[in-house]
């Protein structure tokens, strides 16, 4: 139908990656009309690119009711935006467009939980082979970073040119040009500690060291999306607290969580060190895995939810870091503790969006069957098999 023709058309274009600096400039000197003209096209391109990949998911997953719901939301939003394809940038179109964006933001509010239910349904129905699992991991990383980017574009437009209020007068949309890293870290720590105290009746303290290597002795501020940094810090601190309390027991003295923040010329680096006993490399790898992390659903019977259920917190935090060319790593020593390292670009022109592009290579990554091993090593329980 027309929808699939339009999808084919818009998925041929590569999404335009914007830097934090471009978001800032546009928020300061742009107009509602130019923002509207850019967005109505760019949103269709970003939606079409990810909707094409969606169709390459394992058929078993696509048949699950929750996956169908999510896919329908994307189709509805794509159609909603097609209305504006050839309309000019009058104040009336812009106003109608803004209302439409609010509707779309709301429609997609629970995409992450709904996709997670799809994975649970899939696992309960028959289990997943390794190849499908790899395809799902590859897809979800791209799907969620695409979602982060689309929500960023929409929010930015609505705060700057619509009637959504900014967090402070300093903010340009959801970007803080002088984000105080220390206060975001304390904020995340206080909220994580509140949950930890409520669940375990105890919590480790934090020792925070700040080092500004660029402007010596000055407080550290960066151009950043504070809500993204908060999300990452809250998640990592919850995990560090849980590991600390569970490893040492609620009656013992707890070793403090050490946090280092360093601003260099290129990177803002943050390291969170816990002495929570660490994890083996086998388990460490699983922490980023959507399929493994889709634990039995949290209790809905009024019993207390655990502090950190290793839900999607970690893989999503890594995507928030990577979105503007940062990254997140975990280094663990089993028997001792874990270091979580976050890197963010300190220079706003360098911090540009990382966006998935629909292409032959993404198609191959999603549809590739199981590969023959090209490294030999012993797999317990499988014995030695003749070469294929
Ligand atoms: C752990 C496991 C983990 C994940 C993320 C951050 C900190 C920690 N500590 O033991």
């Amino acid at each position: 139908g027309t929808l699939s023709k339009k999808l084919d058309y818009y998925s041929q274009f590569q999404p335009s990656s914007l830097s934090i600096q471009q978001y800032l400039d546009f928020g300061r000197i742009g107009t509602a009309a130019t923002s509207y003209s850019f967005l109505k096209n760019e949103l269709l391109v970003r939606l079409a690119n990810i909707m094409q990949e969606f169709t390459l998911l394992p058929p078993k997953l696509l048949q699950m009711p929750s996956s169908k719901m999510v896919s329908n939301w994307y189709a509805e939003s794509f159609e909603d935006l097609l209305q504006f394809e050839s309309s000019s940038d009058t104040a009336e179109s812009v106003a109608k467009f803004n209302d439409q964006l609010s509707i779309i933001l709301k429609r997609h509010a629970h995409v992450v939980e709904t996709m997670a239910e799809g994975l649970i349904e899939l696992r309960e129905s028959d289990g997943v082979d390794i190849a499908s699992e790899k395809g799902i991991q590859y897809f979800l990383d791209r799907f969620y970073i695409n979602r982060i980017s689309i929500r960023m574009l929409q929010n930015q437009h609505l705060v700057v040119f619509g009637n959504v209020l900014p967090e402070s007068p300093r903010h340009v949309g959801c970007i803080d040009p002088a984000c105080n890293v220390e206060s975001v870290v304390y904020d995340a720590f206080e909220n994580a500690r509140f949950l930890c105290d409520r669940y375990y009746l105890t919590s480790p303290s934090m020792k925070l060291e700040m080092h500004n290597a660029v402007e010596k002795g000055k407080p550290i501020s960066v151009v950043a999306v504070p809500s993204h940094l908060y999300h990452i810090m809250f998640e990592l601190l919850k995990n560090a607290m849980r590991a600390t309390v569970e490893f040492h027991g609620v009656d013992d003295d707890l070793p403090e969580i050490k946090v280092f923040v360093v601003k260099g010329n290129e990177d803002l680096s943050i390291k969170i060190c816990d002495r929570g006993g660490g994890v083996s490399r086998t388990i460490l790898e699983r922490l980023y895995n959507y399929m493994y992390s889709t634990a039995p659903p949290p209790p809905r019977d009024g019993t207390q939810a655990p502090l950190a259920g290793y839900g999607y917190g970690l893989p999503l935090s890594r995507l928030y870091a990577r979105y503007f060319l940062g990254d997140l790593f975990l280094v663990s020593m089993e028997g001792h503790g874990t270091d979580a390292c976050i890197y963010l670009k300190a220079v706003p022109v360098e911090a540009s969006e990382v966006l998935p592009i629909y292409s032959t290579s993404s198609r191959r990554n999603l549809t590739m069957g199981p590969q023959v091993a090209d490294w030999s090593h012993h797999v317990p329980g499988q014995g030695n098999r003749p070469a294929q």
Side-chain angles (χ1 to χ4, degrees):
T2 44
L3 185 70
S4 82
K5 259 177 51 197
K6 292 287 184 189
L7 264 176
D8 285 342
Y9 174 73
Y10 280 101
S11 63
Q12 293 171 51
F13 299 95
Q14 289 194 12
S16 311
S17 165
L18 301 177
S19 67
I20 289 213
Q21 185 64 52
Q22 286 174 303
Y23 272 110
L24 266 189
D25 294 344
F26 206 83
R28 285 171 175 159
I29 61 167
T31 64
T34 50
S35 179
Y36 161 81
S37 303
F38 170 73
L39 261 197
K40 65 175 186 159
N41 180 68
E42 184 62 19
L43 288 172
L44 286 168
V45 170
R46 293 192 190 191
L47 283 171
N49 269 268
I50 209 64
M51 286 166 79
Q52 297 283 31
E53 285 197 22
F54 204 97
T55 63
L56 302 176
L57 279 171
K60 281 183 290 184
L61 178 55
L62 286 178
Q63 282 154 22
M64 298 303 162
S66 348
S67 324
K68 282 189 174 156
M69 255 176 30
V70 171
S71 142
N72 288 338
W73 292 335
Y74 275 75
E76 279 176 55
S77 301
F78 186 77
E79 273 201 293
D80 286 348
L81 290 170
L82 281 176
Q83 296 178 72
F84 299 92
E85 227 184 353
S86 48
S87 62
S88 57
D89 56 7
T90 61
E92 197 194 339
S93 323
V94 175
K96 207 175 132 203
F97 183 73
N98 292 359
D99 292 342
Q100 187 61 251
L101 289 191
S102 309
I103 293 169
I104 292 173
L105 276 169
K106 221 169 161 187
R107 178 184 292 142
H108 291 250
H110 302 295
V111 161
V112 177
E113 300 92 302
T114 311
M115 277 306 288
E117 275 175 43
L119 290 203
I120 293 170
E121 289 164 13
L122 177 69
R123 216 183 25 198
E124 285 175 355
S125 80
D126 68 351
V128 194
D129 56 284
I130 309 286
S132 308
E133 188 179 309
K134 281 195 172 153
I136 290 168
Q137 182 74 19
Y138 175 85
F139 169 78
L140 288 178
D141 274 336
R142 298 165 66 83
F143 181 66
Y144 291 137
I145 216 164
N146 169 276
R147 179 172 182 271
I148 292 169
S149 83
I150 289 177
R151 295 180 82 77
M152 174 85 191
L153 280 176
Q154 297 179 117
N155 263 318
Q156 209 58 17
H157 176 84
L158 290 177
V159 177
V160 178
F161 307 109
N163 48 20
V164 177
L165 292 174
E167 225 170 285
S168 85
R170 192 173 60 209
H171 276 67
V172 177
C174 45
I175 298 169
D176 186 347
C179 174
N180 183 319
V181 178
E182 185 168 357
S183 22
V184 175
V185 173
Y186 273 118
D187 195 20
F189 173 75
E190 290 304 332
N191 289 324
R193 183 165 74 169
F194 175 82
L195 295 187
C196 186
D197 280 331
R198 207 181 56 176
Y199 190 70
Y200 294 110
L201 306 176
T202 184
S203 60
S205 54
M206 172 176 72
K207 190 168 147 241
L208 175 58
E209 271 181 42
M210 309 283 295
H211 183 62
N212 192 337
V214 180
E215 308 149 288
K216 306 246 159 43
K218 293 235 178 96
I220 294 180
S221 95
V222 282
V223 185
V225 181
S227 62
H228 292 179
L229 180 58
Y230 173 85
H231 182 108
I232 297 168
M233 291 306 298
F234 180 59
E235 196 54 45
L236 294 176
L237 286 167
K238 275 192 302 181
N239 285 334
M241 287 178 188
R242 175 171 96 157
T244 304
V245 178
E246 302 223 320
F247 188 62
H248 291 269
V250 292
D251 300 323
D252 285 17
D253 284 338
L254 299 173
E256 59 194 359
I257 294 170
K258 296 196 170 93
V259 178
F260 301 93
V261 180
V262 181
K263 188 177 179 180
N265 283 314
E266 199 178 322
D267 285 336
L268 173 83
S269 313
I270 304 176
K271 187 159 76 170
I272 302 165
C273 311
D274 70 56
R275 295 194 52 186
V279 290
S280 67
R281 289 168 301 150
T282 320
I283 292 181
L284 196 74
E285 223 183 297
R286 291 180 197 164
L287 297 182
Y288 297 109
N289 186 308
Y290 296 101
M291 210 68 212
Y292 270 111
S293 307
T294 311
R300 284 196 202 139
D301 57 357
T303 59
Q304 196 127 181
L307 176 62
Y310 289 144
Y312 286 180
L314 217 38
L316 289 182
S317 293
R318 187 168 65 175
L319 296 181
Y320 278 115
R322 288 182 174 171
Y323 172 46
F324 279 120
L325 282 176
D327 214 339
L328 185 161
F329 301 93
L330 293 178
V331 179
S332 197
M333 293 174 84
E334 187 186 17
H336 176 74
T338 303
D339 292 355
C341 306
I342 307 141
Y343 300 96
L344 299 178
K345 289 283 189 189
V347 183
V349 284
E350 303 291 331
S352 64
E353 289 181 302
V354 172
L355 303 171
I357 302 168
Y358 179 63
S359 71
T360 47
S361 100
S362 59
R363 269 196 296 281
R364 179 157 18 85
N365 285 326
L366 273 159
T367 54
M368 230 176 4
Q371 298 297 293
V372 174
D374 51 6
W375 289 99
S376 117
H377 66 94
H378 182 66
V379 181
Q382 288 192 0
N384 277 324
R385 286 172 298 172
Q388 291 186 47

